[in-house]
Every structure is written in structure tokens, then in C-alpha cells.
Amino acid sequence: MSSVSAQGVVERASAELSRRITGLGLRGRKRSPGVVERVANALCGPASAPPAPRVPRRRRPSPRPLVWSQFVLEERFLEKRSLAQVCTRWRDVLYSSPRWWAGMVAVLDCRELRSASGCCMQRFYNSLVRRGIRGVVLISASDDDINEFIRQFPLSAHHVHAISLKGCTITDRGLEAILDHLQVLFELELTGCNEITEAGLWACLTPRIVSLTLTDCINIADEAFLGILILGPPLLFLVERTGATDGYLRPTCKAAVGVVLMYPVTAQPACICIHSLPNLTVLSLSGCSKVTDEGVELLAENLPRLRSLDLSWCPRVTDNALEYIACDLNHLEELTLDRCVHITDIGVGYISTMQSLVALFLRWCSQLRDFGVQHLCGMRSLQLLSLAGCPLLTSGGLSSLIQLRQLRELELTNCPGASPELFDYLHEHLPRCLIIE
């Protein structure tokens, strides 16, 4: 009986093994084991097929540039301008794309260039053309350096659009030479060029110059500015710090320009532009020590669209000038009168009638008193007020500023009358105002 039972079990186990071998190709669907299968597992061990070898999946390669020019133009690549110095291949690719060099200027210290070989400089100048760099700054250049620049860089005649001469010892002859050579120049800057005279400046009065910057040129005086306005083209920017006087206040030029920023202007002859620029919106005469009330009157009469005026550090400006401003500049939004020591409460009373004024700066106006502050309290459009350094203001006068509910910024630094109790009072009643202590 036992032999028959053992034989039956073996037969069933063989049948189960055959069935499993036949079904090796059927994968994926799992089922629970039956009774016979569990018995076969108990007698013969678990019937598990050897695991199939795992086929490695091939990763799809990330897209890469196929050529050098595509590779170096990748935004995630390293600094392009530094890579131009690595090798000639990278240099050639980067030089062929002027967009990497947009807005850059070439700064050349002529004291160092005098020891460089001519061949080396020619290669450098040619690279400027390849990269599309159209601005050049020459530092400490002499007439000989100008001639050498013209000789080594002949392509600059039709390539350079802007040139800046800083701390140069060039004379009128050198300035005329460079301006005659640069046929497409429209922007000229002269800084600290003390050998250039008015005759040399007149040499730049060509129609193609639309931007002129003069800084610290001590030999440029009134006649030169008069010549600029009579003979010169409409300038986009006129920024000067010169040794001129206040001789010319009434201009004769009719060339009008849309908007001219004259900041920081430190020479009185800038007022020559007033009548010829009726569309001027921003004017700074900061530090023009010879500006008088008559000059401000002329300014107010001829610049009706002015929105920002800076008369700081103009010691000759008095209350009369503020009366002209209040009567004629109806669109003025910002007025700066810092260090105007002759302004009194009367002048501030004139200013308080300007309904368009948003920002008023009265720093270190030594004659301003509490009565003038009372006038300011009626300016409902005022959002920014500075009374820093006004020595005659008291806590009682300053406390009246809480009437300016629309105020966004108030500066009271270096005010002897501003006490901690006053600041607490102002913070309480002007919660939305930034109070600078």
C-alpha cells in the first residue's frame, strides 16, 4: 500500500514538473499554488525557474552640439569673453559673434601702449572690428599717441562711433586730427584735457556729433559754449565742469532737443542752453556758484515743461528766485535747494503754493524757521521732504508736519530741534511715512 502511494505521488510530481516546463514561456500573470503543487514543493523543493538575465537599457544620449560653433554658444558654457584667450579656435568662434561684445568699450592706456609692438597693436585693433566694439577710451594720450592710433588703426575711420579722451595732454592739433579721421563719430567725451582750447573745441562742431561731454577742461570758457550753440548740432547730452564764468545767459540758438539731462552741471555757461531747449524736463545747476536770481528768472520763463530742478549749492539764489519758480514752473515735481543759505521763510511761502510739487529738499538752509514749516503744511501733494541740517527749527515747528498725511519720506537728520519725543510723536501720527532720524 505504501509503495503504491509513493508511486502515485511520484507520478503526480512528474506531471507537475512537465506542466511547469511547458509553461516556462508564459510570464507575467501570477496565480496562487494548488494542492498538488504545494505537495510537490514539499517533496521536491520549490520549483522556481532561474531568473532571466537582465538586459541593460541603453540610455538615450542627451542632445549635444555637433560642431564647435554650437558648443561654445551654449548659455551654460563658461565665460565667453575669457574663453577667447584660451586658443585660436575658441577665439575665432567667439569673435565671429558680435552679440557677446555688445556695449563694451576698449580702454587703452597710452603710457603702456608706447612699449607695445606695432604688429601686436594692429592685431588688437583688428579684433575690435571683428567683435563689433565701437567705443574707444584713450587715457593719457599725447598728440604723438593720436597719430600712432590713426596709423595703426585705419579701420577706425568708419568703425568707431564713440571716443573718450581722459587725462590727455593732446593739443588742439591732436583733437582736430582724431576728429577728422573718425568719419562716423557721433559721441565725444573730453575729461581733464587741459591743453585743449576753445579753438580746438570748435573743431568738433560737426553735424555728426550728437553727444558731447566736457569735464574738468579748464580752458573751455564762455565763447566756446556760445559757439557750440550757434554753430553746433542739437546735442543729446551736455555735461560740463569747466572754468567758464557766467557771462552768457541769453542764448541765440534755435536747435531744440526733446529731453536733455544736464547733470552734474557745475559751470554757469550751461544756462546758455535754456532758451534753445524749450522741451527740457530735467536740469541740474548744482554747484554753479554764480547763478543769480536773474538767471533763475530766465530759466523759469523759457523752460515751462521742467519737472526737476536742482539749485543746490547756489549761494546767490534768494527768495526772489523762488518766486519766479513758483509763478512759471507749473509742472515742477522735484525741487532741490540744498545749501541755498539766503532762502528764508518768505521764499518757502512762495514754494508752498506749487500744487504739483512732490519732492522738496531744503537741506542746510540756515535761515529757515518754524514759520516756513507752517507754510509747507499746506502742500497736499508733497510726498518727500528733507529738512536735514536746518539749525533754527524747533520741536514745536516740526511737530506741525503731522498735517502732511500723504508724506512718504521725511528727513530730519542733524536737526538740533528734533528730539526723541518728537520722533515718537511723528511715528505715531505718520505711520506710513519713513522718518529718517
Side-chain angles (χ1 to χ4, degrees):
M1 183 68 182
S2 60
S3 60
V4 175
S5 300
Q7 184 178 0
V9 172
V10 172
E11 290 177 354
R12 293 191 188 95
S14 299
E16 180 65 23
L17 291 175
S18 299
R19 188 184 65 77
R20 291 194 179 189
I21 294 173
T22 304
L24 282 177
L26 302 176
R27 298 178 182 175
R29 190 171 63 184
K30 295 183 178 180
R31 61 180 182 86
S32 59
V35 177
V36 177
E37 185 176 352
R38 289 198 295 270
V39 174
N41 290 339
L43 294 176
C44 304
S48 60
R54 187 174 183 180
V55 180
R57 297 180 59 184
R58 298 183 62 183
R59 292 184 178 180
R60 179 177 296 179
S62 59
R64 296 178 179 273
L66 299 178
V67 295
W68 261 114
S69 59
Q70 294 175 341
F71 178 65
V72 296
L73 295 180
E74 281 287 326
E75 293 293 340
R76 295 170 295 177
F77 203 45
L78 299 178
E79 174 59 40
K80 279 82 175 174
R81 294 159 187 164
S82 300
L83 291 176
Q85 305 175 11
V86 174
C87 64
T88 57
R89 188 181 184 92
W90 289 12
R91 180 199 64 192
D92 294 340
V93 173
L94 292 170
Y95 278 15
S96 63
S97 180
R99 69 188 182 99
W100 300 124
W101 314 95
M104 298 189 67
V105 296
V107 181
L108 306 175
D109 192 333
C110 294
R111 293 170 296 187
E112 300 177 358
L113 299 183
R114 291 164 190 161
S115 59
S117 63
C119 181
C120 178
M121 292 308 303
Q122 288 180 358
R123 288 199 304 268
F124 173 74
Y125 292 139
N126 291 335
S127 73
L128 298 183
V129 177
R130 294 176 61 187
R131 287 179 282 180
I133 298 177
R134 297 184 177 272
V136 177
V137 179
L138 297 181
I139 301 175
S140 302
S142 63
D143 288 347
D144 293 337
D145 296 323
I146 294 296
N147 295 331
E148 198 69 14
F149 175 83
I150 295 173
R151 185 183 67 83
Q152 296 177 350
F153 194 10
L155 296 178
S156 63
H158 299 283
H159 181 75
V160 174
H161 291 170
I163 189 167
S164 175
L165 304 175
K166 297 186 176 183
C168 297
T169 59
I170 64 172
T171 63
D172 298 344
R173 183 182 60 181
L175 180 61
E176 294 177 7
I178 192 66
L179 293 177
D180 289 341
H181 173 70
L182 302 177
Q183 297 298 313
V184 293
L185 185 72
F186 62 84
E187 183 175 343
L188 174 64
E189 179 182 0
L190 302 177
T191 302
C193 298
N194 295 327
E195 301 299 325
I196 295 177
T197 64
E198 294 176 342
L201 183 61
W202 277 55
C204 72
L205 299 178
T206 58
R208 63 177 181 268
I209 300 292
V210 298
S211 176
L212 175 62
T213 302
L214 304 176
T215 306
D216 292 327
C217 297
I218 61 175
N219 290 326
I220 306 302
D222 297 335
E223 289 77 9
F225 286 98
L226 182 62
I228 290 174
L229 291 178
I230 295 176
L231 302 178
L235 298 179
L236 294 181
F237 297 91
L238 180 59
V239 184
E240 73 281 343
R241 185 181 296 111
T242 66
T245 65
D246 60 348
Y248 294 97
L249 288 177
R250 298 192 177 275
T252 57
C253 178
K254 302 298 182 182
V257 182
V259 176
V260 176
L261 296 178
M262 304 183 67
Y263 179 83
V265 177
T266 59
Q268 178 66 15
C271 293
I272 197 172
C273 301
I274 290 175
H275 186 68
S276 58
L277 303 178
N279 296 320
L280 196 67
T281 61
V282 179
L283 176 62
S284 173
L285 297 175
S286 177
C288 298
S289 58
K290 296 183 179 181
V291 171
T292 62
D293 293 343
E294 290 75 15
V296 176
E297 180 183 11
L298 176 67
L299 179 153
E301 291 176 352
N302 293 278
L303 298 178
R305 300 186 181 182
L306 204 62
R307 295 185 179 276
S308 177
L309 176 61
D310 187 352
L311 295 175
S312 58
W313 295 85
C314 295
R316 297 190 181 186
V317 172
T318 68
D319 295 336
N320 294 331
L322 301 189
E323 182 180 6
Y324 304 140
I325 292 174
C327 292
D328 297 326
L329 298 181
N330 298 322
H331 300 287
L332 196 66
E333 298 177 357
E334 180 178 339
L335 179 60
T336 303
L337 299 170
D338 299 344
R339 297 279 183 176
C340 293
V341 294
H342 294 296
I343 291 177
T344 67
D345 297 341
I346 298 175
V348 175
Y350 295 139
I351 295 299
S352 64
T353 63
M354 303 181 67
Q355 299 302 319
S356 61
L357 204 61
V358 176
L360 178 60
F361 300 91
L362 296 169
R363 302 184 184 97
W364 300 98
C365 292
S366 55
Q367 296 194 42
L368 184 61
R369 298 177 181 270
D370 294 342
F371 186 67
V373 176
Q374 291 289 340
H375 286 304
L376 297 178
C377 295
M379 303 180 67
R380 299 307 176 191
S381 60
L382 195 63
Q383 298 183 14
L384 195 156
L385 175 62
S386 176
L387 299 172
C390 295
L392 301 181
L393 300 181
T394 66
S395 296
L398 293 173
S399 62
S400 63
L401 293 175
I402 63 171
Q403 302 176 50
L404 298 173
R405 299 294 182 180
Q406 75 287 350
L407 208 59
R408 294 292 177 266
E409 183 175 328
L410 175 61
E411 183 181 13
L412 297 176
T413 57
N414 297 310
C415 285
S419 61
E421 292 78 14
L422 172 67
F423 287 122
D424 294 339
Y425 182 74
L426 294 176
H427 281 297
E428 179 182 356
H429 290 83
L430 297 175
R432 295 183 297 176
C433 179
L434 173 63
I435 300 177
I436 303 175
E437 306 178 12

